[in-house]
Amino acid sequence: MYPCVFCTLLFAISLLAELFFRIHIESIAMLIFLLPNLYLAYQFGWRGAVLANTVNGVIFTAIHHLTHSFDSTLDLHLFISIQATVGLLLGIIISRQHLLATSLYKTNSRLERELKDKQELVSQLIHIEESTRRDIARELHDQIGQNITAIQIQSMLVKKLAPEKSLQNIAETTNQLAMQIHSSTRNILNQLRPPALDTMGLQHAVQQLARELGFNERDIVFRLNFNLVANSLDDTTRSILYRIIQELLNNVCKHSQANEISLDLIYDDMFRLEVCDNGIGLPEVWRSRGHGLTGIEERVSALGGHFYVASSSNGTRVFVSLPQKNKAPLLSKNFS
């Protein structure tokens, strides 16, 4: 209803201007007469322009016969033709822009849905991956761990009871091999799923990781700041954050030559992780030199987060943000 009323008002203004004020507004007459064309073309595209041209043609023909406002019929036809051409062109252009805008909106909506589906799929895959890691780690711990313990006990009995020195040496060698297998299995378990991550949470798992990397032995000052309750994290987010922290700290230890490292994990609207060091920085072509940081970037991006690296000769800062559906309560803690 509103467009019809407004359009009628515009036609009325155009009619009054032609009847009573044409001489006074001659310089802007064409613009005033085109107002209905512009409005209808904007609202309805080329169809609106055709309608406006038809109505205007009837109005100006009637006015010409009543007032002889045009010098000749040729001038009237020329005026109507110019007006119709301009209005029709505007209508076509607006229709085209409307079609493009509609197509762009549909494309953006489709891409948003695909991105959301992709993020949900990646989240499910990561959840499945972590669940598989946990199951494998449990099986390794329960099955291989027990067998290794049994081998060690048997080798110790053989060493104690065997009368021959050669058998005792074989038993000792077997026990040492079992201990090596036990150590290797423990390392594999930590890579698959650190026990501390399930039993004590992310915060203590990161502290244990720092001890395993030997920061104290290397005279590296490690500052850890958690500004959230780690146990409130869902399992998938906790695992992702741990993998990212593990990769970043390993990179710092191997390549940065740093003696100070700080790690901050906070929550506001997203989980925000920042790892800083005072090392030599990353090479300019770090994206092509390894897959660690690139893998983090791809995973974070797929989950709807953000990844940013700022590096110079004075050190490196890595920023990671991940979305979280359930808000974690804040609890400020600082550790060194």
Side-chain angles (χ1 to χ4, degrees):
M1 179 63 71
Y2 174 76
C4 293
V5 174
F6 190 70
C7 184
T8 303
L9 180 61
L10 290 177
F11 278 120
I13 293 174
S14 176
L15 178 60
L16 291 174
E18 175 65 22
L19 286 174
F20 302 107
F21 305 105
R22 180 178 177 84
I23 297 176
H24 304 287
I25 60 171
E26 188 173 358
S27 59
I28 60 171
M30 178 62 77
L31 178 60
I32 294 176
F33 302 149
L34 278 174
L35 286 177
N37 300 61
L38 294 173
Y39 178 74
L40 286 175
Y42 176 76
Q43 289 290 336
F44 307 106
W46 67 269
R47 296 176 180 85
V50 170
L51 176 61
N53 291 334
T54 303
V55 175
N56 270 342
V58 173
I59 290 175
F60 286 117
T61 300
I63 291 174
H64 174 66
H65 287 295
L66 291 174
T67 64
H68 299 286
S69 56
F70 293 91
D71 295 334
S72 65
T73 304
L74 180 61
D75 289 340
L76 171 63
H77 292 167
L78 182 60
F79 177 80
I80 293 175
S81 298
I82 293 174
Q83 189 186 52
T85 302
V86 173
L88 190 58
L89 287 175
L90 287 173
I92 293 173
I93 292 172
I94 292 173
S95 295
R96 180 61 177 169
Q97 291 300 318
H98 178 71
L99 289 174
L100 291 175
T102 302
S103 177
L104 181 61
Y105 174 78
K106 292 181 179 179
T107 301
N108 287 338
S109 299
R110 178 175 56 80
L111 291 176
E112 288 178 0
R113 289 194 301 270
E114 290 179 356
L115 178 60
K116 184 178 180 181
D117 292 341
K118 178 182 178 183
Q119 291 173 354
E120 291 178 353
L121 177 60
V122 170
S123 180
Q124 292 175 4
L125 290 175
I126 292 174
H127 178 74
I128 293 172
E129 177 187 352
E130 292 301 326
S131 177
T132 303
R133 284 173 177 266
R134 184 168 56 249
D135 292 342
I136 294 175
R138 186 183 300 112
E139 288 296 323
L140 285 175
H141 180 271
D142 294 343
Q143 299 297 326
I144 297 182
Q146 293 178 3
N147 292 333
I148 291 175
T149 301
I151 292 172
Q152 288 178 311
I153 293 174
Q154 293 297 321
S155 63
M156 291 173 62
L157 289 175
V158 171
K159 180 180 179 180
K160 183 176 181 179
L161 300 176
E164 299 179 7
K165 185 67 175 177
S166 59
L167 293 178
Q168 294 178 0
N169 291 336
I170 293 174
E172 177 64 23
T173 302
T174 302
N175 184 58
Q176 291 178 358
L177 290 174
M179 293 178 63
Q180 292 177 8
I181 295 173
H182 181 271
S183 178
S184 299
T185 303
R186 184 176 180 181
N187 291 334
I188 294 173
L189 288 174
N190 285 330
Q191 291 293 323
L192 286 172
R193 182 79 178 186
L197 195 60
D198 292 319
T199 58
M200 294 182 289
L202 178 61
Q203 173 186 304
H204 294 283
V206 173
Q207 291 175 322
Q208 178 176 307
L209 176 62
R211 288 192 293 269
E212 292 174 356
L213 292 173
F215 287 154
N216 291 334
E217 292 78 0
R218 301 183 185 187
D219 294 326
I220 297 176
V221 178
F222 179 60
R223 298 183 180 88
L224 182 62
N225 175 37
F226 271 72
N227 204 24
L228 59 112
V229 176
N231 289 332
S232 66
L233 293 166
D234 64 273
D235 184 68
T236 300
T237 304
R238 181 170 63 246
S239 300
I240 293 170
L241 287 171
Y242 180 81
R243 301 294 174 197
I244 292 173
I245 292 171
Q246 185 181 44
E247 181 66 31
L248 293 177
L249 292 184
N250 275 323
N251 283 344
V252 172
C253 289
K254 291 179 180 179
H255 309 296
S256 72
Q257 302 179 24
N259 55 28
E260 291 184 8
I261 304 172
S262 65
L263 188 152
D264 298 275
L265 181 60
I266 64 173
Y267 181 88
D268 41 37
D269 57 330
M270 303 180 78
F271 283 108
R272 303 185 187 277
L273 170 68
E274 179 179 349
V275 177
C276 307
D277 67 71
N278 64 343
I280 60 175
L282 294 171
E284 294 182 0
V285 292
W286 61 267
R287 291 180 185 275
S288 60
R289 292 284 294 272
H291 302 289
L293 292 179
T294 304
I296 294 175
E297 182 178 24
E298 292 174 350
R299 173 170 288 199
V300 168
S301 177
L303 289 169
H306 304 283
F307 178 84
Y308 176 71
V309 176
S311 183
S312 68
S313 58
N314 297 320
T316 302
R317 289 175 177 265
V318 179
F319 303 89
V320 175
S321 61
L322 284 174
Q324 169 73 355
K325 294 181 180 179
N326 299 319
K327 188 173 181 179
L330 297 180
L331 180 62
S332 181
K333 294 185 178 182
N334 292 276
F335 305 90
S336 296

